[in-house]
Coordinates of all heavy atoms in Angstrom, one line a residue:
M1 N 15.1 40.7 5.2 CA 15.6 39.7 4.2 C 16.7 38.9 4.9 O 17.5 39.3 5.7 CB 16.1 40.4 3.0 CG 16.3 39.5 1.8 SD 16.7 40.4 0.2 CE 15.1 41.0 -0.1
K2 N 16.6 37.6 4.6 CA 17.5 36.6 5.2 C 18.9 36.7 4.6 O 19.1 36.9 3.4 CB 17.0 35.2 4.9 CG 17.6 34.0 5.6 CD 17.2 32.7 5.0 CE 16.3 32.0 6.1 NZ 15.9 30.7 5.6
K3 N 20.0 36.7 5.5 CA 21.4 36.8 5.1 C 22.1 35.6 5.7 O 21.8 35.1 6.7 CB 22.0 38.1 5.7 CG 21.5 39.3 5.0 CD 22.2 40.6 5.5 CE 21.7 41.7 4.9 NZ 22.4 43.0 5.3
C4 N 23.1 35.1 5.0 CA 24.0 34.0 5.4 C 25.4 34.2 4.9 O 25.6 34.7 3.8 CB 23.3 32.7 5.0 SG 24.1 31.2 5.7
K5 N 26.3 33.7 5.6 CA 27.7 33.8 5.3 C 28.4 32.4 5.4 O 28.0 31.7 6.2 CB 28.5 34.9 6.0 CG 28.0 36.2 5.9 CD 28.8 37.1 6.7 CE 28.3 38.5 6.5 NZ 29.1 39.6 7.3
G6 N 29.4 32.3 4.7 CA 30.2 31.0 4.7 C 31.5 31.3 4.0 O 31.8 32.4 3.6
S7 N 32.5 30.2 4.0 CA 33.7 30.3 3.2 C 34.1 28.9 2.8 O 33.7 27.9 3.3 CB 34.7 31.0 4.1 OG 35.1 30.2 5.2
F8 N 35.1 29.0 1.8 CA 35.7 27.8 1.4 C 37.1 28.1 0.9 O 37.4 29.2 0.7 CB 34.9 27.1 0.3 CG 34.7 27.8 -1.0 CD1 35.7 27.8 -2.0 CD2 33.6 28.5 -1.3 CE1 35.5 28.5 -3.2 CE2 33.4 29.4 -2.5 CZ 34.4 29.3 -3.4
V9 N 37.8 27.0 0.7 CA 39.2 27.2 0.2 C 39.3 26.5 -1.2 O 38.7 25.5 -1.4 CB 40.3 26.5 1.2 CG1 41.7 26.6 0.5 CG2 40.3 27.2 2.5
V10 N 39.8 27.2 -2.1 CA 39.9 26.7 -3.5 C 40.9 25.6 -3.5 O 42.1 25.6 -3.1 CB 40.4 27.7 -4.5 CG1 40.5 27.2 -5.8 CG2 39.4 28.9 -4.5
L11 N 40.5 24.3 -3.8 CA 41.2 23.1 -3.8 C 41.8 22.7 -5.1 O 42.8 22.0 -5.2 CB 40.4 21.9 -3.2 CG 39.7 22.2 -1.9 CD1 38.8 20.9 -1.6 CD2 40.8 22.2 -0.8
N12 N 41.2 23.2 -6.2 CA 41.7 22.8 -7.6 C 43.1 23.3 -7.8 O 43.4 24.4 -7.3 CB 40.9 23.5 -8.6 CG 39.4 23.0 -8.5 OD1 38.7 23.3 -7.5 ND2 38.8 22.5 -9.6
K13 N 43.9 22.4 -8.4 CA 45.3 22.7 -8.6 C 45.5 24.0 -9.5 O 46.4 24.7 -9.2 CB 46.0 21.6 -9.4 CG 46.3 20.4 -8.5 CD 47.0 19.4 -9.4 CE 47.2 18.1 -8.4 NZ 47.9 17.0 -9.2
R14 N 44.6 24.2 -10.4 CA 44.8 25.4 -11.3 C 43.8 26.6 -10.8 O 43.6 27.6 -11.4 CB 44.4 25.0 -12.8 CG 45.4 24.1 -13.3 CD 45.2 23.8 -14.8 NE 44.1 22.9 -14.8 CZ 43.2 22.7 -15.8 NH1 43.3 23.5 -16.8 NH2 42.2 21.9 -15.8
G15 N 43.3 26.4 -9.6 CA 42.5 27.5 -9.0 C 41.1 27.7 -9.6 O 40.6 26.7 -10.3
L16 N 40.6 28.8 -9.6 CA 39.2 29.0 -10.0 C 39.3 29.6 -11.5 O 39.1 30.8 -11.7 CB 38.4 30.0 -9.1 CG 36.9 30.3 -9.2 CD1 36.2 28.8 -9.1 CD2 36.4 31.2 -8.2
H17 N 39.7 28.7 -12.4 CA 39.8 29.2 -13.8 C 38.5 29.0 -14.5 O 37.5 28.9 -13.8 CB 40.9 28.3 -14.4 CG 40.8 26.8 -14.4 ND1 39.9 26.3 -15.4 CD2 41.1 25.9 -13.6 CE1 40.0 24.9 -15.2 NE2 40.5 24.7 -14.0
A18 N 38.5 29.1 -15.8 CA 37.3 29.2 -16.7 C 36.3 28.0 -16.3 O 35.1 28.3 -16.1 CB 37.6 29.2 -18.1
R19 N 36.6 26.8 -16.4 CA 35.7 25.8 -16.3 C 35.0 25.7 -14.9 O 33.8 25.8 -14.8 CB 36.3 24.3 -16.6 CG 35.2 23.3 -16.6 CD 35.8 21.9 -17.0 NE 36.7 22.0 -18.2 CZ 37.8 21.4 -18.4 NH1 38.2 20.6 -17.5 NH2 38.4 21.5 -19.5
P20 N 35.7 25.8 -13.8 CA 35.1 25.8 -12.5 C 34.3 27.1 -12.3 O 33.3 27.1 -11.6 CB 36.2 25.7 -11.5 CG 37.4 25.8 -12.1 CD 37.2 25.5 -13.6
S21 N 34.8 28.3 -12.9 CA 34.0 29.4 -12.8 C 32.6 29.4 -13.4 O 31.6 29.8 -12.8 CB 34.7 30.6 -13.4 OG 35.9 30.9 -12.7
V22 N 32.5 28.7 -14.5 CA 31.2 28.6 -15.2 C 30.4 27.6 -14.4 O 29.2 27.8 -14.2 CB 31.5 27.9 -16.6 CG1 30.1 27.5 -17.3 CG2 32.1 29.0 -17.5
Q23 N 31.0 26.5 -13.9 CA 30.3 25.5 -13.1 C 29.7 26.2 -11.8 O 28.6 25.9 -11.4 CB 31.0 24.3 -12.7 CG 31.5 23.5 -14.0 CD 32.5 22.4 -13.7 OE1 33.3 22.5 -13.0 NE2 32.4 21.4 -14.5
L24 N 30.5 27.0 -11.1 CA 30.1 27.6 -9.9 C 29.0 28.7 -10.2 O 27.9 28.8 -9.5 CB 31.3 28.3 -9.3 CG 31.1 29.1 -7.9 CD1 30.5 28.2 -7.0 CD2 32.4 29.8 -7.5
A25 N 29.2 29.4 -11.3 CA 28.0 30.4 -11.7 C 26.8 29.7 -11.9 O 25.6 30.2 -11.6 CB 28.6 31.2 -12.9
K26 N 26.8 28.6 -12.6 CA 25.6 27.8 -12.9 C 25.0 27.3 -11.7 O 23.7 27.4 -11.4 CB 25.9 26.6 -13.9 CG 26.2 27.0 -15.3 CD 26.4 25.8 -16.1 CE 26.6 26.0 -17.6 NZ 27.0 24.9 -18.4
C27 N 25.7 26.9 -10.7 CA 25.2 26.4 -9.5 C 24.6 27.6 -8.7 O 23.4 27.5 -8.2 CB 26.4 25.8 -8.6 SG 25.8 25.1 -7.0
A28 N 25.3 28.7 -8.6 CA 24.8 29.8 -7.9 C 23.4 30.4 -8.5 O 22.6 30.9 -7.9 CB 25.8 31.0 -7.9
S29 N 23.3 30.3 -9.8 CA 22.2 30.8 -10.6 C 20.9 29.9 -10.2 O 19.8 30.5 -10.6 CB 22.4 30.9 -12.1 OG 23.6 31.7 -12.4
T30 N 21.1 28.9 -9.7 CA 19.9 28.1 -9.3 C 19.1 28.5 -8.1 O 18.0 28.2 -7.8 CB 20.2 26.6 -9.0 OG1 21.1 26.4 -7.9 CG2 20.9 25.9 -10.2
F31 N 19.7 29.5 -7.4 CA 19.1 30.2 -6.2 C 18.5 31.5 -6.5 O 19.0 32.3 -7.3 CB 20.2 30.3 -5.1 CG 20.7 28.9 -4.7 CD1 21.9 28.5 -5.3 CD2 19.9 28.0 -3.9 CE1 22.5 27.2 -4.9 CE2 20.5 26.8 -3.7 CZ 21.7 26.4 -4.1
K32 N 17.5 31.9 -5.8 CA 16.8 33.2 -5.9 C 17.7 34.2 -5.1 O 17.6 35.5 -5.5 CB 15.5 33.2 -5.2 CG 14.5 32.4 -6.0 CD 13.1 32.4 -5.4 CE 12.2 31.5 -6.2 NZ 10.8 31.5 -5.6
A33 N 18.4 33.9 -4.2 CA 19.2 34.8 -3.3 C 20.3 35.4 -4.2 O 20.8 34.9 -5.2 CB 19.9 34.1 -2.2
H34 N 20.7 36.7 -3.7 CA 21.8 37.4 -4.3 C 23.0 36.8 -3.7 O 23.1 36.9 -2.5 CB 21.7 39.0 -4.2 CG 22.8 39.6 -4.7 ND1 23.1 39.8 -6.0 CD2 23.8 40.3 -4.1 CE1 24.3 40.4 -6.2 NE2 24.7 40.9 -5.1
V35 N 24.0 36.3 -4.4 CA 25.2 35.7 -3.9 C 26.4 36.4 -4.4 O 26.6 36.6 -5.5 CB 25.3 34.2 -4.3 CG1 26.4 33.5 -3.6 CG2 23.9 33.5 -4.0
T36 N 27.3 36.8 -3.4 CA 28.6 37.4 -3.8 C 29.7 36.6 -3.1 O 29.5 35.9 -2.1 CB 28.7 38.8 -3.2 OG1 28.6 38.7 -1.8 CG2 27.7 39.7 -3.9
L37 N 30.9 36.6 -3.8 CA 32.0 36.0 -3.4 C 33.1 37.0 -3.3 O 33.2 38.0 -4.1 CB 32.5 34.9 -4.5 CG 31.9 33.5 -4.2 CD1 30.5 33.4 -4.5 CD2 32.6 32.5 -5.1
R38 N 34.1 36.7 -2.4 CA 35.2 37.8 -2.2 C 36.3 36.9 -1.7 O 36.2 36.0 -0.8 CB 34.7 38.8 -1.1 CG 35.8 39.8 -0.8 CD 35.3 40.8 0.2 NE 34.8 40.2 1.4 CZ 35.6 40.0 2.5 NH1 36.9 40.1 2.5 NH2 35.0 39.5 3.6
C39 N 37.6 37.2 -2.2 CA 38.7 36.6 -1.7 C 39.0 37.2 -0.3 O 38.8 38.3 0.0 CB 40.0 36.9 -2.6 SG 39.9 36.0 -4.1
A40 N 39.4 36.3 0.6 CA 39.7 36.8 2.1 C 40.8 37.9 1.9 O 41.7 37.7 1.1 CB 40.2 35.6 2.8
N41 N 40.6 38.8 2.7 CA 41.6 40.0 2.8 C 41.5 40.8 1.5 O 42.5 41.6 1.2 CB 43.0 39.6 3.1 CG 43.1 38.8 4.3 OD1 42.5 39.2 5.3 ND2 43.9 37.7 4.4
A42 N 40.5 40.9 0.8 CA 40.3 41.7 -0.5 C 39.0 42.4 -0.4 O 38.1 41.9 0.3 CB 40.3 40.9 -1.7
S43 N 39.0 43.6 -1.1 CA 37.8 44.4 -0.9 C 36.9 44.2 -2.0 O 35.7 44.5 -1.9 CB 38.1 45.8 -0.8 OG 38.8 46.3 -2.0
L44 N 37.2 43.4 -3.2 CA 36.4 43.2 -4.3 C 35.5 42.1 -4.0 O 35.9 41.0 -3.7 CB 37.3 42.9 -5.4 CG 36.6 42.6 -6.8 CD1 35.9 43.9 -7.4 CD2 37.6 42.1 -7.7
S45 N 34.2 42.4 -4.2 CA 33.1 41.4 -4.2 C 32.6 41.2 -5.5 O 32.4 42.2 -6.3 CB 32.0 41.8 -3.2 OG 32.5 41.7 -1.9
V46 N 32.3 39.9 -5.9 CA 31.8 39.7 -7.3 C 30.5 39.0 -7.2 O 30.2 38.2 -6.2 CB 32.8 39.0 -8.2 CG1 34.1 39.8 -8.3 CG2 33.2 37.6 -7.7
D47 N 29.8 39.1 -8.2 CA 28.4 38.3 -8.3 C 28.8 36.9 -8.7 O 29.4 36.6 -9.7 CB 27.6 38.9 -9.4 CG 26.2 38.3 -9.7 OD1 25.9 37.2 -9.1 OD2 25.4 38.8 -10.4
A48 N 28.3 35.9 -7.8 CA 28.6 34.5 -8.0 C 27.9 33.9 -9.2 O 28.2 32.8 -9.6 CB 28.3 33.7 -6.7
K49 N 26.9 34.6 -9.7 CA 26.2 34.1 -10.8 C 26.8 34.5 -12.1 O 26.3 34.2 -13.3 CB 24.6 34.7 -10.7 CG 24.0 34.1 -9.5 CD 22.6 34.6 -9.3 CE 22.0 34.1 -8.1 NZ 20.6 34.5 -7.9
S50 N 27.9 35.2 -12.2 CA 28.6 35.7 -13.4 C 30.1 35.0 -13.5 O 30.9 35.4 -12.6 CB 28.7 37.2 -13.3 OG 29.7 37.5 -14.4
S51 N 30.2 34.2 -14.3 CA 31.5 33.5 -14.6 C 32.5 34.4 -14.8 O 33.8 34.3 -14.4 CB 31.4 32.3 -15.6 OG 31.0 32.8 -16.8
L52 N 32.3 35.5 -15.6 CA 33.3 36.5 -16.0 C 33.6 37.2 -14.7 O 35.0 37.5 -14.5 CB 32.8 37.5 -17.0 CG 32.6 36.9 -18.4 CD1 32.0 37.9 -19.4 CD2 33.9 36.3 -18.9
Q53 N 32.8 37.5 -13.8 CA 33.2 38.2 -12.6 C 34.0 37.3 -11.6 O 34.9 37.8 -11.0 CB 31.9 38.8 -11.9 CG 31.3 40.0 -12.6 CD 30.3 40.6 -11.7 OE1 30.3 40.7 -10.5 NE2 29.3 41.2 -12.4
L54 N 33.6 36.0 -11.6 CA 34.4 35.0 -10.8 C 35.8 35.0 -11.3 O 36.7 34.8 -10.4 CB 33.7 33.7 -10.9 CG 32.3 33.6 -10.2 CD1 31.7 32.2 -10.5 CD2 32.4 33.8 -8.8
L55 N 36.1 35.0 -12.6 CA 37.4 35.0 -13.1 C 38.2 36.2 -12.5 O 39.5 36.2 -12.4 CB 37.5 34.9 -14.6 CG 37.0 33.6 -15.3 CD1 36.8 33.8 -16.7 CD2 38.0 32.5 -14.9
V56 N 37.6 37.3 -12.3 CA 38.3 38.5 -11.9 C 38.9 38.3 -10.6 O 39.9 38.9 -10.2 CB 37.3 39.7 -11.9 CG1 37.9 40.9 -11.2 CG2 36.9 40.2 -13.2
L57 N 38.3 37.4 -9.7 CA 39.0 37.1 -8.4 C 40.4 36.5 -8.6 O 41.2 36.6 -7.7 CB 38.1 36.1 -7.7 CG 36.7 36.6 -7.2 CD1 36.0 35.4 -6.5 CD2 36.9 37.7 -6.2
S58 N 40.7 35.9 -9.6 CA 42.1 35.3 -9.9 C 42.4 34.4 -8.8 O 43.6 34.5 -8.2 CB 43.1 36.4 -10.1 OG 42.8 37.1 -11.3
A59 N 41.5 33.6 -8.3 CA 41.7 32.7 -7.1 C 42.5 31.5 -7.3 O 42.2 30.7 -8.3 CB 40.3 32.3 -6.5
T60 N 43.7 31.4 -6.8 CA 44.6 30.3 -7.0 C 44.3 29.2 -5.9 O 43.6 29.5 -5.0 CB 46.1 30.7 -6.9 OG1 46.2 31.3 -5.7 CG2 46.4 31.7 -8.0
Q61 N 44.9 28.1 -6.0 CA 44.7 26.9 -5.2 C 45.1 27.5 -3.8 O 46.2 28.1 -3.6 CB 45.6 25.8 -5.6 CG 45.3 24.6 -4.7 CD 46.2 23.4 -5.1 OE1 47.3 23.5 -5.5 NE2 45.7 22.2 -4.7
G62 N 44.3 27.2 -2.7 CA 44.6 27.6 -1.4 C 44.0 29.0 -1.0 O 44.1 29.3 0.2
T63 N 43.4 29.7 -1.9 CA 42.7 30.9 -1.7 C 41.5 30.7 -1.0 O 40.6 29.9 -1.3 CB 42.4 31.7 -3.1 OG1 43.7 31.9 -3.7 CG2 41.8 33.0 -2.7
E64 N 41.3 31.5 0.1 CA 40.1 31.4 0.9 C 39.0 32.4 0.3 O 39.4 33.5 0.0 CB 40.3 31.7 2.4 CG 39.1 31.7 3.2 CD 39.2 31.9 4.7 OE1 40.3 32.1 5.1 OE2 38.2 31.9 5.4
I65 N 37.9 31.8 0.0 CA 36.8 32.7 -0.5 C 35.7 32.8 0.4 O 35.2 31.7 1.0 CB 36.2 31.9 -1.8 CG1 37.4 31.8 -2.9 CG2 35.1 32.8 -2.5 CD1 37.9 33.0 -3.5
S66 N 35.2 33.9 0.7 CA 34.0 34.2 1.5 C 32.7 34.3 0.6 O 32.8 34.8 -0.5 CB 34.1 35.6 2.2 OG 35.2 35.6 3.0
V67 N 31.8 33.6 1.1 CA 30.5 33.6 0.4 C 29.4 34.3 1.1 O 29.3 34.0 2.4 CB 30.0 32.1 0.2 CG1 28.7 32.0 -0.7 CG2 31.1 31.2 -0.4
E68 N 28.7 35.2 0.5 CA 27.6 35.8 1.3 C 26.3 35.8 0.4 O 26.4 36.0 -0.8 CB 27.9 37.3 1.5 CG 29.1 37.5 2.5 CD 29.5 38.9 2.8 OE1 28.5 39.9 2.7 OE2 30.5 39.3 3.3
A69 N 25.3 35.5 1.0 CA 24.0 35.5 0.2 C 22.9 36.2 1.0 O 22.9 36.3 2.2 CB 23.6 34.1 0.0
E70 N 22.0 36.8 0.2 CA 20.9 37.6 0.8 C 19.6 37.2 0.1 O 19.6 37.3 -1.2 CB 21.2 39.0 0.8 CG 20.1 39.9 1.5 CD 20.5 41.3 1.5 OE1 21.6 41.7 1.4 OE2 19.5 42.1 1.9
G71 N 18.7 36.7 0.7 CA 17.4 36.3 0.1 C 16.7 35.2 0.7 O 17.1 34.7 1.7
E72 N 15.6 34.7 0.2 CA 14.8 33.6 0.9 C 15.5 32.4 1.0 O 15.3 31.5 1.9 CB 13.4 33.5 0.2 CG 13.6 33.0 -1.3 CD 12.2 32.9 -1.9 OE1 11.6 34.0 -2.1 OE2 11.7 31.9 -2.1
D73 N 16.4 32.0 0.1 CA 17.1 30.8 0.1 C 18.6 30.9 0.4 O 19.4 30.2 -0.1 CB 16.8 29.9 -1.2 CG 17.2 30.6 -2.4 OD1 17.6 31.8 -2.4 OD2 17.1 30.0 -3.5
A74 N 19.0 32.0 1.1 CA 20.4 32.4 1.3 C 21.1 31.3 2.0 O 22.2 30.9 1.6 CB 20.5 33.6 2.1
D75 N 20.5 30.7 3.1 CA 21.3 29.7 3.8 C 21.5 28.4 2.9 O 22.6 27.8 2.9 CB 20.5 29.3 5.1 CG 19.0 28.9 4.8 OD1 18.5 29.1 3.7 OD2 18.4 28.4 5.7
L76 N 20.6 28.0 2.2 CA 20.7 26.9 1.2 C 21.8 27.3 0.2 O 22.7 26.4 -0.2 CB 19.4 26.5 0.6 CG 19.4 25.3 -0.4 CD1 20.0 24.0 0.3 CD2 18.1 25.0 -1.0
A77 N 21.9 28.4 -0.3 CA 22.7 28.9 -1.4 C 24.2 28.7 -0.8 O 25.1 28.2 -1.5 CB 22.5 30.3 -1.8
V78 N 24.4 29.3 0.3 CA 25.8 29.3 0.9 C 26.2 27.9 1.2 O 27.3 27.5 0.8 CB 25.8 30.1 2.2 CG1 27.1 29.9 3.0 CG2 25.6 31.6 1.8
D79 N 25.4 27.1 1.8 CA 25.6 25.7 2.1 C 26.0 25.0 0.9 O 27.0 24.1 0.9 CB 24.6 24.9 2.9 CG 24.3 25.5 4.3 OD1 25.2 26.2 4.8 OD2 23.2 25.3 4.8
T80 N 25.2 25.1 -0.1 CA 25.4 24.3 -1.4 C 26.8 24.8 -2.2 O 27.5 23.8 -2.6 CB 24.2 24.6 -2.4 OG1 23.0 24.2 -1.7 CG2 24.5 23.8 -3.7
L81 N 27.0 26.0 -2.2 CA 28.2 26.5 -2.9 C 29.5 26.1 -2.0 O 30.4 25.7 -2.7 CB 28.2 28.0 -3.0 CG 27.1 28.5 -4.0 CD1 27.1 30.1 -4.0 CD2 27.4 28.0 -5.4
V82 N 29.5 26.2 -0.8 CA 30.6 25.7 0.0 C 30.9 24.2 -0.2 O 32.0 23.7 -0.4 CB 30.3 26.0 1.5 CG1 31.4 25.2 2.4 CG2 30.4 27.5 1.8
Q83 N 29.7 23.4 -0.3 CA 30.0 22.0 -0.5 C 30.4 21.7 -1.9 O 31.2 20.9 -2.2 CB 28.6 21.3 -0.3 CG 28.7 19.7 -0.4 CD 29.7 19.0 0.6 OE1 29.9 19.4 1.8 NE2 30.5 18.1 0.1
F84 N 29.9 22.5 -2.9 CA 30.3 22.4 -4.3 C 31.8 22.6 -4.4 O 32.5 21.9 -5.2 CB 29.4 23.4 -5.0 CG 29.6 23.2 -6.6 CD1 29.2 22.0 -7.1 CD2 30.0 24.2 -7.3 CE1 29.2 21.9 -8.6 CE2 30.0 24.1 -8.8 CZ 29.5 22.9 -9.3
A85 N 32.3 23.6 -3.6 CA 33.7 23.9 -3.7 C 34.5 22.7 -3.1 O 35.6 22.4 -3.7 CB 34.0 25.2 -3.1
K86 N 34.0 22.2 -2.0 CA 34.7 21.0 -1.4 C 34.8 19.9 -2.3 O 35.7 19.0 -2.2 CB 34.1 20.7 -0.1 CG 34.2 21.6 1.1 CD 33.5 21.2 2.3 CE 33.6 22.2 3.4 NZ 32.9 21.8 4.5
E87 N 33.8 19.8 -3.3 CA 33.8 18.7 -4.2 C 34.6 19.1 -5.5 O 34.5 18.4 -6.6 CB 32.4 18.2 -4.5 CG 31.7 17.8 -3.4 CD 30.1 17.5 -3.7 OE1 29.6 18.0 -4.6 OE2 29.6 17.1 -2.7
R88 N 35.3 20.2 -5.4 CA 36.2 20.6 -6.5 C 35.4 21.0 -7.7 O 35.7 20.8 -8.8 CB 37.3 19.7 -6.9 CG 38.2 19.5 -5.7 CD 39.3 18.4 -6.0 NE 40.0 18.0 -4.9 CZ 41.2 18.4 -4.6 NH1 42.0 19.0 -5.6 NH2 41.9 18.0 -3.6
F89 N 34.2 21.6 -7.5 CA 33.3 22.1 -8.5 C 32.9 20.9 -9.5 O 33.2 20.9 -10.7 CB 33.9 23.3 -9.3 CG 34.4 24.3 -8.4 CD1 35.8 24.4 -8.2 CD2 33.6 25.1 -7.6 CE1 36.3 25.4 -7.3 CE2 34.0 26.1 -6.7 CZ 35.4 26.2 -6.5
C90 N 32.3 20.0 -8.9 CA 31.9 18.7 -9.6 C 33.0 17.8 -9.9 O 33.1 17.1 -10.9 CB 31.1 19.0 -10.9 SG 29.6 19.7 -10.6
K91 N 34.2 17.9 -9.1 CA 35.3 17.1 -9.3 C 35.9 17.3 -10.6 O 36.3 16.2 -11.2 CB 35.0 15.7 -8.9 CG 34.6 15.5 -7.4 CD 34.4 14.0 -7.1 CE 33.9 14.0 -5.5 NZ 33.9 12.8 -5.0
E92 N 35.9 18.4 -11.2 CA 36.4 18.7 -12.6 C 38.0 18.4 -12.6 O 38.5 18.1 -13.7 CB 36.1 20.0 -13.1 CG 36.8 21.2 -12.7 CD 38.2 21.5 -13.2 OE1 38.5 21.2 -14.3 OE2 38.9 22.0 -12.4
E93 N 38.6 18.3 -11.5 CA 40.0 18.0 -11.5 C 40.2 17.0 -10.4 O 39.7 17.1 -9.4 CB 40.9 19.2 -11.2 CG 41.0 20.2 -12.2 CD 42.0 21.4 -11.8 OE1 42.1 21.6 -10.6 OE2 42.5 21.9 -12.6
E94 N 41.1 16.1 -10.6 CA 41.5 15.2 -9.5 C 42.9 15.6 -9.1 O 43.8 16.1 -9.6 CB 41.8 13.8 -10.2 CG 40.5 13.2 -10.7 CD 39.5 12.9 -9.5 OE1 39.8 12.5 -8.5 OE2 38.2 13.0 -9.8
G95 N 42.9 15.5 -7.6 CA 44.1 15.8 -6.9 C 44.3 17.2 -6.7 O 44.6 18.2 -6.8

């Protein structure tokens, strides 16, 4: 099974709060691959397709998040989620 890894830094001023968590989970849910996120230097991995689990990360602005995907579209899932984060989760916040 195909595996892929990547990472991004949370750019949003308020971190990965409710609205971006929902947007990120919706984006992750478009892929067949199993996608997990983990804060750098933490052992807790969460399902990227669950907004509630994403909130558990309590990721603040500047937090590095590791993305891991496993499945037929793993590479596309990781690339898309990393780019989505760079765009501040659909640019829901400015600055």
Side-chain angles (χ1 to χ4, degrees):
M1 198 172 278
K2 189 187 253 185
K3 292 183 181 182
C4 191
K5 295 181 181 183
S7 66
F8 64 85
V9 174
V10 177
L11 301 175
N12 300 57
K13 286 182 181 179
R14 292 183 285 150
L16 194 56
H17 59 89
R19 188 177 306 140
S21 292
V22 168
Q23 292 170 333
L24 183 59
K26 283 181 181 178
C27 182
S29 293
T30 64
F31 300 99
K32 292 179 181 178
H34 176 69
V35 185
T36 58
L37 272 67
R38 180 176 59 82
C39 289
N41 302 321
S43 60
L44 176 67
S45 291
V46 300
D47 182 351
K49 297 177 183 181
S50 169
S51 57
L52 291 176
Q53 287 189 33
L54 292 173
L55 287 172
V56 171
L57 290 176
S58 300
T60 58
Q61 184 180 32
T63 301
E64 184 177 353
I65 303 286
S66 297
V67 183
E68 295 185 19
E70 186 173 344
E72 64 184 71
D73 55 357
D75 51 350
L76 182 59
V78 170
D79 291 346
T80 301
L81 293 175
V82 168
Q83 185 59 40
F84 193 57
K86 288 179 182 177
E87 294 170 356
R88 299 176 190 250
F89 313 106
C90 293
K91 300 185 180 186
E92 74 76 37
E93 286 185 331
E94 291 298 322

